[in-house]
Amino acid sequence: MTTYVCPVCRYPGLTEPPRTDAGPSYEICPSCGFEFGVTDDDHGVSDDDWRRRWVAAGAPWRSTTSPPAGWDGVAQLGE
Ligand SMILES: [Zn+2]
């Protein structure tokens, strides 16, 4: 299955492109919780702003599903 990288947190497991010419995916990133088309379009929060908030919160896994084994939000960002 093709997966896509979250532009906010670099999580590589999104199931749809976050945004195409047809519009946003409305997928919620399980890693950072960003909802493409809602967090940005409806709430006016940019990728950068959301990333800063997520990192400030400790880069936690945001989904109710379990993260991949060994998942580390900060390491994922590569910073
Ligand atoms: Zn993300």
Side-chain angles (χ1 to χ4, degrees), residues 26 38 43-44 61 79:
Y26 297 104
V38 174
H43 299 300
W61 182 256
E79 293 175 351

Side-chain angles (χ1 to χ4, degrees), residues 5-12 14 28-36 50 54 62 71 76:
V5 176
C6 176
V8 177
C9 70
R10 310 293 305 161
Y11 177 66
L14 298 183
I28 300 172
C29 176
S31 168
C32 68
F34 196 93
E35 187 172 5
F36 303 98
W50 192 265
W54 180 66
R62 292 293 198 191
W71 182 85
Q76 173 178 272

